[in-house]
Amino acid sequence: MELQLSMVVLEVADLEASVRFYQRLGLDIPDVEPGGRPVVAHRMGSGVTLLITTAFASVYDPTWSRPSGGGYSQMLEFYVGEDAVVDSRWAELLDAGYVGRMPPTQTAGPYAAIVEDPDGNVVLLTSDEAASPEA
């Protein structure tokens, strides 16, 4: 299976302000639902989804803090297949010396793990069928 970039996740301080910006930019992103989940998603024609949230990294990554010269505001999500593949990729990357931020975990959404690339960019590995290129 070819590895696919499936989603860009932006952890933001103000969901409504961020959604307004991306709507103004030209994306057909839905408005924030009052009292709804702290997330808005938009699947682009390329198949890549832009997900804007105030509560993913802040909830599931105990080391996360709002960026200030070293933190992160976004994650690159890669759909890797089944839960077992998330587990094995996590183990392989840690064995190779890469930094893990969240071990494989069943989140409120996908089964996922978080690792850093060599530059400190945060990568989310998931088995979320919604992120599959075939979905």
Side-chain angles (χ1 to χ4, degrees):
M1 178 181 100
E2 179 185 350
L3 190 64
Q4 297 288 321
L5 176 64
S6 64
M7 183 178 294
V8 175
V9 179
L10 300 177
E11 180 92 15
V12 302
D14 182 332
L15 185 61
E16 290 178 1
S18 293
V19 166
R20 282 193 305 268
F21 170 82
Y22 286 99
Q23 288 172 333
R24 180 162 288 208
L25 184 65
L27 295 177
D28 187 21
I29 295 177
D31 290 328
V32 176
E33 292 189 27
R37 292 178 55 206
V39 62
V40 173
H42 171 68
R43 190 166 184 114
M44 295 175 265
S46 65
V48 174
T49 298
L50 174 63
L51 187 128
I52 305 169
T53 184
T54 58
F56 188 90
S58 57
V59 171
Y60 294 107
D61 181 354
T63 67
W64 186 84
S65 63
R66 197 135 312 270
S68 60
Y72 61 92
S73 293
Q74 65 280 330
M75 294 180 263
L76 299 177
E77 179 180 349
F78 289 93
Y79 170 74
V80 297
E82 300 173 359
D83 293 357
V85 179
V86 173
D87 295 339
S88 66
R89 291 277 169 90
W90 163 264
E92 290 168 18
L93 291 167
L94 266 59
D95 287 348
Y98 295 103
V99 174
R101 285 187 170 248
M102 181 186 83
T105 301
Q106 181 59 59
T107 70
Y111 185 75
I114 301 174
V115 297
E116 289 182 9
D117 74 7
D119 296 301
N121 294 307
V122 177
V123 175
L124 182 66
L125 306 171
T126 76
S127 62
D128 184 5
E129 286 295 322
S132 168
E134 287 81 39

